[in-house]
């Protein structure tokens, strides 16, 4: 059974990539022209979201460089430490909704420092998989389609990140603690 699943996973993407142009050819769809038109639209979308991405990256840099991140972590660290949560994972809870690359780099650093099988490494990995880069998603996707008012999506996204952060910690402490 395992070899069958490995065979499927090895061939699934190449078969799909080969199937789509063949199917389009038989349906008399101009494959190359459709691809070029889609690439043109993608380029326009990329150009339109660049200002939003630059603004978000500047805001994240200012947040970290100003010391606001360290100040906030210093405020809540005693409470989390009292609850048995390693304070080393707290920056991840703040960084993850802001930046995927920054949070991945932070998680990598935690795992290299404390080890993948440490409680910190397990909690960091679970947080990384249980939360999303909410502000990045809102910036890119809302910017691409021209949505200017995303307050409800922001509230729901950040709430789900908080729930994912707390659930990741609780489950890791329950399972591995």
């Amino acid at each position: 059974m395992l070899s069958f699943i490995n065979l499927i996973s090895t061939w699934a993407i190449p078969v799909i990539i080969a199937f789509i142009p063949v199917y389009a050819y038989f349906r008399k769809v101009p494959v190359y022209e459709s691809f070029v038109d889609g690439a043109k639209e993608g380029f326009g979308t990329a150009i339109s979201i660049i200002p939003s991405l630059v603004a978000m990256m500047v805001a994240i840099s200012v947040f970290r460089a100003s010391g606001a991140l360290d100040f906030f972590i210093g405020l809540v660290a005693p409470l989390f430490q009292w609850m048995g949560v390693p304070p080393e994972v707290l920056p991840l809870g703040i960084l993850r909704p802001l930046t995927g690359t920054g949070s991945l780099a932070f998680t990598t650093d935690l795992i290299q420092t404390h080890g993948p099988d440490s409680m910190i490494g397990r909690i960091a990995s679970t947080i990384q998989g249980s939360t999303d880069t909410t502000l990045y998603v809102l910036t890119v996707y809302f910017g691409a389609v021209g949505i200017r008012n995303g307050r409800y999506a922001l509230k729901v996204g950040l709430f789900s990140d908080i729930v994912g952060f707390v659930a990741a910690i609780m489950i890791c402490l329950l399972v591995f603690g």
Side-chain angles (χ1 to χ4, degrees):
M1 183 64 173
L2 182 61
S3 63
F4 179 68
I5 292 173
N6 284 336
L7 181 68
I8 290 174
S9 66
T10 302
W11 285 100
I13 299 298
V15 167
I16 291 171
I17 289 173
F19 174 75
I20 291 173
V22 170
Y23 180 75
Y25 174 77
F26 285 113
R27 299 274 311 216
K28 308 285 189 240
V29 174
V31 177
Y32 181 74
E33 292 80 7
S34 298
F35 175 78
V36 170
D37 290 341
K40 286 179 187 176
E41 288 178 27
F43 186 71
T45 301
I47 294 297
S48 70
I49 65 172
I50 285 176
S52 300
L53 286 173
V54 169
M56 184 190 70
M57 289 179 191
V58 167
I60 291 168
S61 297
V62 168
F63 180 67
R64 293 180 75 187
S66 70
L69 176 65
D70 295 330
F71 175 75
F72 182 74
I73 290 169
L75 285 177
V76 298
L79 173 67
F80 278 82
Q81 201 166 18
W82 176 76
M83 294 186 310
V85 177
E88 292 87 353
V89 299
L90 294 180
L92 188 57
I94 297 169
L95 288 175
R96 182 69 175 143
L98 300 174
T99 169
T101 304
S103 64
L104 182 60
F106 189 80
T107 301
T108 302
D109 185 50
L110 285 176
I111 289 172
Q112 286 178 346
T113 303
H114 300 282
D117 292 331
S118 67
M119 183 59 76
I120 292 170
R122 289 175 175 166
I123 290 175
S125 298
T126 307
I127 290 170
Q128 194 70 13
S130 302
T131 57
D132 200 1
T133 55
T134 301
L135 297 179
Y136 176 80
V137 168
L138 292 179
T139 300
V140 171
Y141 296 125
F142 281 23
V145 295
I147 296 173
R148 298 282 178 232
N149 187 0
R151 68 175 184 255
Y152 296 117
L154 178 64
K155 290 175 186 176
V156 169
L158 291 177
F159 179 72
S160 68
D161 285 333
I162 291 169
V163 169
F165 179 75
V166 171
I169 291 171
M170 289 174 54
I171 289 169
C172 283
L173 289 175
L174 180 68
V175 172
F176 302 113

